[in-house]
Amino acid sequence: MGINTYIRYFQRQCCILSIALFFFESRETAMADDEVVGGLWAMLAQERRKSIGLMFLRFIAVVLLAVAACYLFINNFNSHLPETEKDTSTIGKQELVNIWPLLKEWGVKEQQDLKKEVCDLSVGKWIPKPEGPSYTDETCHYIASYTNCLKNGRPDRGFLHWKWQPSGCDLPPFDPLKFLNAMRDKSWAFIGDAIFHNHAYSLLCLTSSVTKAHMIYYDGHDTRTWYFPSYNLTIYNIWSPYLLASETENGPTHEIHLDILDSKWTEMYDKYDYMVISGGQWFYKRTIMYENNEVIGCHYCPDLELNKIDYEVAYRRALQLTFKFITTSEHKPFVVFRTWAPSHWEDGESPSERICNRTKPFKEGEINGSSSDLKMWRLETEEFEKAAAIGATNDVRMELLDIYQLSLLRPDGHPGPYGTYHPFDDDPSKKVENDCIHWCLPGPIDSWNELLMKVINRDVHNSVSAFL
């Protein structure tokens, strides 16, 4: 049933009430003419009954007319909303549906239509963006040295002029003022490896045109906390490359505990309103693995007499433990799982040289990516789907931020030879010839935050549903 059907229904009900009012008044008048006056008290009692009846019928008529007017207004207002604001009007509709059960069928249909409009943000293409990024290395001072490609001398600028366009829906530019207003009195956590530094610094740069964040905590290594005093917004950038308890500072061989989560992020879990989390390239590294505080094997340790454990086994265990913690916790932040960020190493002129010197995006079908990256992406999406199903039964809000395919198409977005060093290397003082893992700022990673805001907009949380 459409809105017009309900309007016609209300019109008929109002007409019936009007006729009822007419006959009620006529009946009362006729009865008054035929009756013999039985005294002043009888007349007063009759008038009182008549007045109460008229007031009741008129009240019902006004209620029906008011509800009909509300739905006329909502339908007309929603038809003029831009696509990015339609989600916000849905909550108001659902509240009215709860108030007026007769409209339940229409409310359900509207929800189904809304779900159909939600497209797959990971499917699309890169299109030209003549205006370029909203910030530069000169206007934003949060850019880490190893991702500050322009300052480090990168000569080409073409990589700055592309925008991700999902198929079937629009992706609005990041609006820093709307974001900050919606996130007032909230906290975010970015939990993972150096790619999350990339991601968080992009967010800080995108909001810097409105206000500057102050760093209020630094552990001397890789964990920082940023604060926007004007908005009481806190952003935690937590270094946890394995998500698990680990030891990564004792040379090239790392150690991880497959049955213990990293306390850096779990101890502060109750502080998060929103969190973005994922694993990363560190699982490819030489790693000794523990369970119950005993060594059970190692990845990439041919010189050690230890049981061989593949990197994907370790990553799956890390995700399962992480998702179990999230889905069973009493605290329930909005959890965004960001998928695998692919690398773009290519063979250079010499057998030992590996480079990434492309200057424009790939088109769909021009690249398959590394088999190991693809394996990790498939693994994590499988584990996320299972966790999200469990979380839904416990009121845990979880969304997938799938950046794998769109990032795979951007080999031009890495520092390449225009980085200084990157923390993926064990020796931070060593300058790498080509960085094909991290991302230039500004650059393609800024689109991740546009995607993130679109994903967050699907949340029914009142403080977020109003800003996109």
Coordinates of all heavy atoms in Angstrom, one line a residue, residues 47-75:
E47 N -27.2 18.6 28.3 CA -26.2 19.5 27.6 C -24.8 19.0 27.9 O -23.9 19.0 27.0 CB -26.3 20.9 28.1 CG -27.6 21.6 27.6 CD -27.6 21.7 26.0 OE1 -26.5 21.9 25.4 OE2 -28.7 21.5 25.5
R48 N -24.5 18.5 29.1 CA -23.2 18.1 29.5 C -22.8 16.8 28.7 O -21.7 16.7 28.2 CB -23.1 17.8 31.0 CG -21.7 17.4 31.4 CD -21.7 17.1 32.9 NE -20.4 16.8 33.3 CZ -20.1 16.4 34.6 NH1 -21.0 16.4 35.5 NH2 -18.8 16.1 34.9
R49 N -23.8 15.9 28.6 CA -23.6 14.6 27.8 C -23.3 15.0 26.4 O -22.4 14.4 25.7 CB -24.7 13.7 28.0 CG -24.9 13.0 29.3 CD -25.8 11.9 29.3 NE -27.2 12.3 28.9 CZ -28.1 12.7 29.8 NH1 -27.8 12.7 31.1 NH2 -29.3 13.0 29.3
K50 N -24.1 15.9 25.9 CA -23.9 16.3 24.5 C -22.6 16.9 24.2 O -21.9 16.6 23.2 CB -25.0 17.3 24.1 CG -24.9 17.9 22.7 CD -26.0 18.8 22.4 CE -25.9 19.5 21.0 NZ -26.9 20.5 20.7
S51 N -22.1 17.8 25.1 CA -20.8 18.5 25.0 C -19.7 17.5 25.0 O -18.7 17.6 24.2 CB -20.7 19.5 26.1 OG -19.4 20.1 26.0
I52 N -19.7 16.5 26.0 CA -18.7 15.5 26.1 C -18.6 14.7 24.8 O -17.5 14.4 24.3 CB -18.9 14.7 27.3 CG1 -18.7 15.5 28.6 CG2 -17.9 13.5 27.3 CD1 -19.1 14.8 29.9
G53 N -19.7 14.3 24.3 CA -19.7 13.4 23.1 C -19.2 14.2 21.9 O -18.4 13.6 21.1
L54 N -19.5 15.4 21.7 CA -19.0 16.2 20.6 C -17.5 16.4 20.7 O -16.8 16.3 19.8 CB -19.7 17.6 20.6 CG -21.2 17.6 20.1 CD1 -21.8 18.9 20.3 CD2 -21.3 17.1 18.6
M55 N -17.0 16.7 22.0 CA -15.6 16.9 22.2 C -14.8 15.6 21.8 O -13.7 15.7 21.2 CB -15.3 17.3 23.6 CG -15.8 18.7 24.0 SD -15.6 19.1 25.7 CE -13.8 18.9 25.9
F56 N -15.3 14.5 22.2 CA -14.7 13.2 21.9 C -14.5 12.9 20.4 O -13.5 12.6 19.9 CB -15.4 12.1 22.6 CG -14.8 10.7 22.4 CD1 -13.6 10.3 23.0 CD2 -15.3 9.8 21.5 CE1 -13.0 9.1 22.8 CE2 -14.7 8.6 21.2 CZ -13.6 8.2 21.9
L57 N -15.7 13.1 19.7 CA -15.7 12.8 18.3 C -14.7 13.8 17.6 O -14.0 13.5 16.6 CB -17.1 12.9 17.7 CG -18.0 11.7 18.2 CD1 -19.4 12.0 17.7 CD2 -17.5 10.4 17.6
R58 N -14.8 15.1 18.0 CA -14.0 16.1 17.3 C -12.5 15.8 17.6 O -11.6 16.0 16.7 CB -14.3 17.5 17.8 CG -15.7 17.9 17.2 CD -16.1 19.2 17.9 NE -17.4 19.7 17.2 CZ -18.3 20.5 17.8 NH1 -18.0 20.9 19.1 NH2 -19.4 20.8 17.2
F59 N -12.2 15.3 18.8 CA -10.8 14.9 19.1 C -10.2 13.8 18.2 O -9.1 13.9 17.7 CB -10.7 14.5 20.6 CG -9.3 14.0 21.0 CD1 -8.3 14.8 21.2 CD2 -9.1 12.6 21.1 CE1 -7.0 14.3 21.6 CE2 -7.9 12.1 21.4 CZ -6.8 13.0 21.7
I60 N -11.1 12.8 18.0 CA -10.7 11.7 17.1 C -10.4 12.2 15.7 O -9.5 11.9 15.0 CB -11.7 10.6 17.1 CG1 -11.8 9.9 18.5 CG2 -11.4 9.5 16.1 CD1 -10.5 9.3 19.0
A61 N -11.3 13.1 15.3 CA -11.2 13.6 13.9 C -9.9 14.4 13.8 O -9.2 14.3 12.8 CB -12.4 14.5 13.6
V62 N -9.6 15.2 14.8 CA -8.3 16.0 14.7 C -7.1 15.1 14.7 O -6.2 15.4 14.0 CB -8.3 17.0 16.0 CG1 -6.9 17.6 16.1 CG2 -9.3 18.1 15.8
V63 N -7.1 14.0 15.5 CA -6.0 13.1 15.5 C -5.7 12.5 14.1 O -4.6 12.4 13.6 CB -6.2 12.0 16.6 CG1 -5.1 10.9 16.4 CG2 -6.1 12.6 18.0
L64 N -6.8 12.0 13.5 CA -6.7 11.4 12.2 C -6.2 12.4 11.2 O -5.3 12.1 10.3 CB -8.0 10.8 11.7 CG -8.5 9.6 12.5 CD1 -9.9 9.2 12.1 CD2 -7.6 8.4 12.2
L65 N -6.7 13.6 11.2 CA -6.3 14.7 10.3 C -4.8 15.0 10.5 O -4.0 15.2 9.6 CB -7.1 15.9 10.4 CG -8.6 15.8 9.9 CD1 -9.4 17.0 10.3 CD2 -8.5 15.7 8.4
A66 N -4.4 15.1 11.8 CA -3.0 15.4 12.1 C -2.0 14.3 11.6 O -1.0 14.6 11.0 CB -2.8 15.5 13.6
V67 N -2.4 13.0 11.7 CA -1.5 11.9 11.3 C -1.4 12.0 9.7 O -0.4 11.8 9.1 CB -2.1 10.6 11.7 CG1 -1.3 9.4 11.1 CG2 -2.0 10.5 13.3
A68 N -2.6 12.2 9.1 CA -2.6 12.3 7.6 C -1.7 13.5 7.2 O -0.9 13.3 6.2 CB -4.0 12.5 7.1
A69 N -1.7 14.6 7.9 CA -0.9 15.7 7.5 C 0.6 15.4 7.7 O 1.4 15.8 6.9 CB -1.3 16.9 8.4
C70 N 0.9 14.7 8.8 CA 2.3 14.3 9.0 C 2.9 13.4 7.9 O 4.0 13.6 7.4 CB 2.4 13.5 10.4 SG 2.3 14.6 11.8
Y71 N 2.1 12.5 7.5 CA 2.6 11.6 6.4 C 2.7 12.3 5.1 O 3.6 12.1 4.3 CB 1.7 10.4 6.3 CG 2.2 9.3 7.2 CD1 1.8 9.2 8.5 CD2 3.2 8.4 6.7 CE1 2.3 8.2 9.3 CE2 3.7 7.4 7.5 CZ 3.3 7.3 8.8 OH 3.8 6.3 9.6
L72 N 1.8 13.3 4.8 CA 1.9 14.1 3.6 C 3.2 14.9 3.6 O 3.9 15.0 2.7 CB 0.7 15.1 3.5 CG -0.6 14.5 2.8 CD1 -1.7 15.5 3.0 CD2 -0.3 14.2 1.4
F73 N 3.5 15.5 4.8 CA 4.7 16.3 5.0 C 5.9 15.4 4.8 O 6.9 15.8 4.1 CB 4.7 16.9 6.3 CG 6.0 17.6 6.7 CD1 6.3 18.8 6.1 CD2 6.9 17.0 7.5 CE1 7.5 19.4 6.4 CE2 8.1 17.6 7.8 CZ 8.4 18.8 7.2
I74 N 6.0 14.2 5.4 CA 7.2 13.3 5.4 C 7.4 12.9 3.9 O 8.5 12.9 3.4 CB 7.0 12.1 6.3 CG1 7.1 12.6 7.8 CG2 8.1 11.1 6.1 CD1 6.7 11.6 8.8
N75 N 6.3 12.5 3.3 CA 6.5 12.0 1.9 C 7.0 13.1 1.0 O 7.9 12.9 0.2 CB 5.1 11.5 1.4 CG 5.2 10.8 0.0 OD1 5.9 9.8 -0.1 ND2 4.6 11.3 -1.0

